[in-house]
Amino acid sequence: MSAASCLRSEDQFRCSICLDVFIDPVSTPCGHNFCKNCINEHWNSDDQYLCPVCKKVFNTKPELLINTLFSEMVSQFRQEAQQKASSSSSGQQAAKPGGVPCDVCTGTKLKALKSCLVCLTSYCETHLEPHLTALGMKRHQLMDPVENLEDRMCMKHDKPLELFCKTDQTCVCMLCSVLDHKTHEFVPLKEEYEGKKAELGKTEAEIQEMIQKRRLKIQEIKHSVDLSKGAADREKAEGIQVFIALMESVERSLNELIETIEEKQRTTEKQAEDFIKELEQEISELKKRSSEVEKLSHSEDHLHLLQNFPSLKAAPPTKDWTEVSVRPSSYEGTVVRAVAQLEETLSKQMKKLFEVELKRVQQYAVNVTLDPDTANPHLILSDDGKQVYCGDVTKNLPDNPERFSYCSSVFGKQSLSSGRFYFEVHVKEKTDWTLGVARESINRKVEITACPEDGFWTIWLRNGNEYEALDDPSVDLSLKSQPQKVGVFVDYEEGLVSFYDVDAAALIYSFTGCSFTEKLYPFFSPSMNNGGINSAPLIICPVNQTVLSGMFYSWKNE
């Protein structure tokens, strides 16, 4: 029998009860064939002997004999079907780990081609064939192979989950839609699947975008680390060079100090040696004269004694040593003078270091302008927003939340919430002023207590010569000269606020270890004009930048 004829007659060899190839086929008196076991079980479970195909009723249970000829045909069909299955399965793939295997295959499990939601079974290509050809099985619902088919059945009604309840956001069967969820909104699983799939596509795109952003952030962080390492290496090299020079200077000063002291001691010792040598020479002469006198005094020769007496009576010529002395060398002030000289050398070196540091912070210069919406009504601002002083008349201005109502203060327009910035202010001819930065959230409607705890990092001048850092506690500042131009530098992440005397290239004061959690604004207070004594303005001036490479602005106009 050919493969084509086998396919055409395949339904003839299937039992209409079990829908599988006949096993021990028997024929009923009405001429229909069944598996012997299938028809017996069917009649044993029913009250009458009814043919499942033509519905003919038999009064007594017919005697069923195996149809020998038909049984041989079924046997032949089985052999040909097995050969066909063997031939076709040779082209199929075995199920891989993690794949869905055929539930019917024995031995090597082939890869499932479809899963049946009615049979709750997955089939390879060969075992799927009855679902494609048998009339009773063609109505079964097939889908791409999946595992855990039981999870696709309604636990309550034992029906396939075919609908999606949008109200409860869950999958339901047909009976659920008319019983438990009858007032809810439903859509077919496929429709909801398409919608959710589109959402997943969008989510996937968003995730990929997030991944890309994070990769870029990793590159940015690595680049920052490289920049930091380069800066650290340069700083270490410069630090080593500076400290070696300082150590050499200290060593040189120490050697000079020791040489000075030892030279004084050598001078004292030389003077003492000269005196001692001269004294010993006189002692030698005196001893010689003493010996001659003693010898003459024992002489019995009258004439000899009288003749030599005149020459021995007078003492030999000697030096008057009464006022002669060797004074110990004085070393008072020697060490002090040496240290003072060293201090002068270190001071010159410190000035050079501060010049370098000032050039570095000037790279972060910000074009700060004053914010008129924050200015106290007594303050007068220039049109370009670069100058401010206190007038005698209170202007009629809107009392907006940003305005300083009580203190003669004003904010800059530019804010800082990360990174660094720097600006410079002329304070020449003023007797009172306050400069620095402040938190955005400070209370601008009350008298200000300027300290870090209240959100201020500032320094001030009072009475023309009293400088003070408004830290906690405040710090009196002893400055060598009165600053004419003050530089203000902020490193947000480092928690650093530093003030510089720009002309002297000297550090005035630094707030360190600060914790910034919100925006910072430049803060200016020209103070009251004191009858014209303090009428000069605070002037935000351009920064004379000598090193501009790698400039980084981390501020923005609000």
Side-chain angles (χ1 to χ4, degrees), residues 107-152:
T108 302
K109 294 282 189 178
L110 297 181
K111 179 181 177 182
L113 186 63
K114 292 288 182 181
S115 294
C116 177
L117 289 177
V118 177
C119 304
L120 297 181
T121 305
S122 296
Y123 299 99
C124 64
E125 182 179 353
T126 300
H127 294 116
L128 178 65
E129 194 163 341
H131 280 76
L132 304 177
T133 56
L135 293 176
M137 289 187 172
K138 285 183 178 180
R139 294 190 297 270
H140 290 193
Q141 185 175 349
L142 299 177
M143 62 179 299
D144 289 337
V146 292
E147 291 184 308
N148 303 322
L149 285 166
E150 294 81 0
D151 295 341
R152 297 176 177 271

Side-chain angles (χ1 to χ4, degrees), residues 65-306:
L65 299 176
I66 294 177
N67 189 327
T68 305
L69 177 60
F70 191 62
S71 179
E72 291 176 355
M73 294 174 63
V74 169
S75 177
Q76 184 179 357
F77 170 78
R78 279 182 179 278
Q79 292 177 2
E80 292 178 353
Q82 288 175 357
Q83 292 175 359
K84 177 178 177 293
S86 175
S87 175
S88 60
S89 64
S90 62
Q92 297 185 54
Q93 297 179 352
K96 297 180 180 179
V100 181
C102 174
D103 294 326
V104 181
C105 286
T106 58
T108 302
K109 294 282 189 178
L110 297 181
K111 179 181 177 182
L113 186 63
K114 292 288 182 181
S115 294
C116 177
L117 289 177
V118 177
C119 304
L120 297 181
T121 305
S122 296
Y123 299 99
C124 64
E125 182 179 353
T126 300
H127 294 116
L128 178 65
E129 194 163 341
H131 280 76
L132 304 177
T133 56
L135 293 176
M137 289 187 172
K138 285 183 178 180
R139 294 190 297 270
H140 290 193
Q141 185 175 349
L142 299 177
M143 62 179 299
D144 289 337
V146 292
E147 291 184 308
N148 303 322
L149 285 166
E150 294 81 0
D151 295 341
R152 297 176 177 271
M153 303 296 291
C154 176
M155 299 292 292
K156 187 172 183 179
H157 303 115
D158 199 27
K159 297 292 183 182
L161 299 171
E162 301 178 79
L163 300 173
F164 184 80
C165 176
K166 296 182 74 68
T167 306
D168 290 343
Q169 292 292 299
T170 186
C171 298
V172 297
C173 68
M174 286 295 186
L175 286 178
C176 289
S177 66
V178 297
L179 296 175
D180 304 327
H181 301 255
K182 60 183 178 181
T183 61
H184 295 180
E185 181 184 357
F186 300 94
V187 294
L189 284 183
K190 185 176 181 180
E191 180 179 334
E192 186 66 21
Y193 161 83
E194 295 295 341
K196 289 293 191 289
K197 188 174 182 181
E199 288 184 22
L200 287 176
K202 183 179 179 182
T203 300
E204 173 64 13
E206 292 173 352
I207 292 174
Q208 290 300 323
E209 184 179 358
M210 291 171 67
I211 291 172
Q212 184 61 23
K213 286 182 178 179
R214 279 149 182 78
R215 285 175 176 164
L216 292 175
K217 180 58 69 174
I218 290 174
Q219 293 178 4
E220 177 186 330
I221 292 172
K222 288 182 177 179
H223 181 61
S224 297
V225 171
D226 291 339
L227 291 178
S228 178
K229 186 178 184 304
D233 291 341
R234 288 192 299 273
E235 196 71 14
K236 284 193 293 185
E238 292 176 7
I240 291 171
Q241 183 179 357
V242 168
F243 274 87
I244 287 176
L246 290 175
M247 288 188 290
E248 290 176 349
S249 179
V250 171
E251 185 177 2
R252 186 165 54 252
S253 297
L254 176 61
N255 291 336
E256 290 174 358
L257 172 64
I258 294 173
E259 179 61 28
T260 299
I261 294 172
E262 290 178 348
E263 178 62 28
K264 281 189 175 184
Q265 179 62 19
R266 284 195 297 270
T267 300
T268 300
E269 290 177 355
K270 179 66 169 61
Q271 184 185 37
E273 287 174 2
D274 291 343
F275 285 158
I276 291 170
K277 184 177 181 180
E278 190 175 353
L279 287 167
E280 286 178 343
Q281 186 175 355
E282 288 188 359
I283 290 171
S284 176
E285 291 294 331
L286 289 171
K287 283 182 175 181
K288 182 179 180 182
R289 177 63 59 88
S290 175
S291 176
E292 290 176 351
V293 169
E294 182 181 4
K295 182 178 179 182
L296 184 61
S297 65
H298 289 88
S299 174
E300 298 295 334
D301 187 343
H302 304 121
L303 179 63
H304 176 71
L305 186 148
L306 292 174

